[in-house]
């Protein structure tokens, strides 16, 4: 008796939909009878082998799979003796379950065994009875799967590297260079005493969630102004007559600079240690330069990216006065 002809592949539209959903290359497909752990009977599925995953569909035309099985950690594939004619049965032994598969004919059974072993072992099995053309397909699938895994590993590596870089930047440069943990009064004093360092400071708001901008402008005479910057979800809103919403605090600073055509400049302390000590707010009471240097080393952290000065919270010793942020 001649073996049944293999089923025709699904129409292109269905293929494209499945590819979009699974995001994996198709290596082989056909009908399979599947009996997973806990199943009482075999279930009949149109099955696709994509990458190292079997996707099960209720019928050949369905675009949404009803179940899937990751076989990348396949321990072994064992043949089972079948009393049914023209039928192949084998078991996929996985770390957490054993899945029994049954094909409609012995030829398709050999093909399924060949493709499953090729993608899981990354080598073409020698103990399968296939025609030369079918063996060629196994070699083609082997090369595609090797390439896919390399690309996946590279993509994963790049994503991890990107996440690591983002985390590194966040640690070193969490806030704009002109952010200081100071009160309204302290920000005003810093701007008045050191106009050459800039005229705009970003500081914490009256609560722990929002922020404020303190600026010093010289039009007719020096004037100090304060603007609230509200945290709204993932964005920040500057409370102006017409509120302006921006994606981050860096954009908030850029907005003030651009809107004033550069008149407003972020207040940034010099990276020179002596200059920083000279420009520390007056709330830091020290008697000697050595004492000030000690406080600087213990209480002030610099970003290697922007060299902004950040006063650490919770200071209660070394003659540093605690103040509430307004």
């Amino acid at each position: 008796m001649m073996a049944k002809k293999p089923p025709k592949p699904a129409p292109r539209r269905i293929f494209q939909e499945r590819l979009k959903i699974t995001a994996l290359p198709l290596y082989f497909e056909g009908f399979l009878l599947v009996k997973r752990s806990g199943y009482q009977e075999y279930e009949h599925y149109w099955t696709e082998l994509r990458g190292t995953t079997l996707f099960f569909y209720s019928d050949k035309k369905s675009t949404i799979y009803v179940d899937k099985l990751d076989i990348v950690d396949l321990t072994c594939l064992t043949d089972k003796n079948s009393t049914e004619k023209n039928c192949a049965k084998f078991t996929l032994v996985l770390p957490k379950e054993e899945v029994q598969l049954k094909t409609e004919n012995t030829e398709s059974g050999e093909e399924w065994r060949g493709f499953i072993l090729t993608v899981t072992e990354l080598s073409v099995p020698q103990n399968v009875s296939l025609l030369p053309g079918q063996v060629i397909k196994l070699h083609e699938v082997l090369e595609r799967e090797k390439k896919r895994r390399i690309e996946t590993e590279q993509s994963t590596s790049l994503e991890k590297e990107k996440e690591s870089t983002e985390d590194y930047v966040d640690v070193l440069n969490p806030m704009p260079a002109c952010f200081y943990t100071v009160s309204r009064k302290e920000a005003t004093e810093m701007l008045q005493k050191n106009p050459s360092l800039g005229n705009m400071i970003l500081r914490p708001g009256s609560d722990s969630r929002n922020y404020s901008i303190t600026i010093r402008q010289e039009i007719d005479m020096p004037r100090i102004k304060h603007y609230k910057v509200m945290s709204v979800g993932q964005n920040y809103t500057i409370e102006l007559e017409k509120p302006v919403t921006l994606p981050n605090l860096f954009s908030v600073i850029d907005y003030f600079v651009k809107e004033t055509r550069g008149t407003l400049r972020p207040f940034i302390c010099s990276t020179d240690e002596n200059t920083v000590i000279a420009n520390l707010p007056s709330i830091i009471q020290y008697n000697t330069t050595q004492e000030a240097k000690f406080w600087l080393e213990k209480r002030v952290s610099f970003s290697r990216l922007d060299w902004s000065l950040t006063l650490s919270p919770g200071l209660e010793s070394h003659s540093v006065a605690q103040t509430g942020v307004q």
Side-chain angles (χ1 to χ4, degrees):
M1 182 183 292
M2 293 181 62
K4 294 182 181 179
K5 293 183 179 180
K8 294 181 180 180
R12 185 168 182 79
R13 181 188 63 79
I14 297 175
F15 172 82
Q16 293 293 346
E17 285 294 319
R18 289 175 179 171
L19 176 61
K20 182 178 179 181
I21 293 171
T22 62
L24 288 169
L26 175 63
Y27 295 151
F28 191 64
E29 61 183 344
F31 285 111
L32 272 181
L33 289 163
V34 182
K35 187 177 181 182
R36 299 192 66 169
S37 299
Y39 283 25
Q40 297 298 321
E41 301 292 338
Y42 281 94
E43 298 287 342
H44 193 256
Y45 294 120
W46 176 262
T47 308
E48 291 185 338
L49 173 61
R50 291 180 175 272
T52 54
T53 303
L54 292 171
F55 291 90
F56 305 115
Y57 299 86
S58 57
D59 57 59
K60 187 177 176 181
K61 295 183 179 180
S62 298
T63 56
I64 308 296
Y65 61 86
V66 295
D67 199 2
K68 67 177 182 177
L69 179 66
D70 187 354
I71 59 173
V72 68
D73 295 322
L74 180 70
T75 303
C76 65
L77 186 155
T78 59
D79 292 314
K80 294 188 68 176
N81 294 327
S82 176
T83 56
E84 303 175 48
K85 293 182 179 181
N86 298 320
C87 173
K89 295 175 69 175
F90 47 91
T91 301
L92 303 180
V93 181
L94 299 163
K96 294 184 178 180
E97 69 172 317
E98 293 187 5
V99 181
Q100 297 179 42
L101 302 179
K102 185 164 63 173
T103 63
E104 296 181 323
N105 56 70
T106 54
E107 182 182 349
S108 63
E110 284 297 288
E111 286 185 289
W112 276 111
R113 287 179 70 255
F115 281 100
I116 289 173
L117 291 174
T118 296
V119 299
T120 55
E121 297 181 354
L122 287 182
S123 64
V124 175
Q126 302 299 316
N127 60 339
V128 290
S129 301
L130 295 174
L131 298 173
Q134 295 170 323
V135 175
I136 291 174
K137 287 184 179 179
L138 291 185
H139 283 282
E140 292 174 349
V141 165
L142 175 60
E143 294 307 312
R144 291 173 63 191
E145 178 60 14
K146 285 181 178 179
K147 182 180 179 181
R148 184 189 75 84
R149 293 202 191 187
I150 292 173
E151 291 175 348
T152 301
E153 289 176 2
Q154 290 176 342
S155 177
T156 302
S157 177
L158 287 174
E159 287 178 4
K160 288 182 178 179
E161 184 178 340
K162 181 180 177 181
E163 290 175 2
S164 176
T165 302
E166 290 174 350
D167 291 342
Y168 179 75
V169 171
D170 285 343
V171 170
L172 295 181
N173 189 23
M175 300 293 285
C178 59
F179 174 76
Y180 301 92
T181 309
V182 295
S183 66
R184 173 193 290 238
K185 180 180 178 182
E186 292 156 8
T188 299
E189 185 176 321
M190 291 168 70
L191 294 177
Q192 289 174 335
K193 287 190 173 183
N194 306 281
S196 63
L197 299 181
N199 52 11
M200 175 171 53
I201 286 177
L202 173 67
R203 58 183 176 81
S206 56
D207 53 41
S208 61
R209 177 180 174 81
N210 302 305
Y211 298 88
S212 293
I213 294 280
T214 296
I215 65 171
R216 181 179 185 272
Q217 287 182 304
E218 294 188 22
I219 303 175
D220 299 327
M221 56 182 295
R223 295 181 180 179
I224 297 291
K225 292 184 179 181
H226 308 278
Y227 297 91
K228 290 184 178 180
V229 180
M230 310 301 290
S231 177
V232 183
Q234 299 294 321
N235 300 316
Y236 295 89
T237 299
I238 307 172
E239 290 199 343
L240 303 172
E241 185 176 343
K242 185 178 180 181
V244 175
T245 299
L246 298 164
N248 53 58
L249 292 173
F250 292 93
S251 298
V252 170
I253 299 302
D254 288 343
Y255 174 82
F256 278 93
V257 173
K258 291 177 181 178
E259 287 298 308
T260 60
R261 297 183 179 180
T263 301
L264 289 180
R265 295 178 295 108
F267 184 95
I268 303 175
C269 287
S270 169
T271 59
D272 177 74
E273 186 181 75
N274 293 325
T275 304
V276 173
I277 293 173
N279 291 321
L280 289 176
S282 61
I283 58 166
I284 304 170
Q285 304 297 329
Y286 51 86
N287 299 318
T288 66
T289 301
Q290 188 64 32
E291 184 179 346
K293 287 183 177 180
F294 172 82
W295 185 92
L296 183 68
E297 292 173 356
K298 298 294 183 182
R299 305 301 180 182
V300 180
S301 63
F302 288 92
S303 162
R304 281 180 281 168
L305 293 182
D306 57 33
W307 297 97
S308 63
L309 176 67
T310 304
L311 306 184
S312 301
L315 305 179
E316 66 277 358
S317 60
H318 301 291
S319 302
V320 181
Q322 287 184 300
T323 59
V325 178
Q326 299 178 355

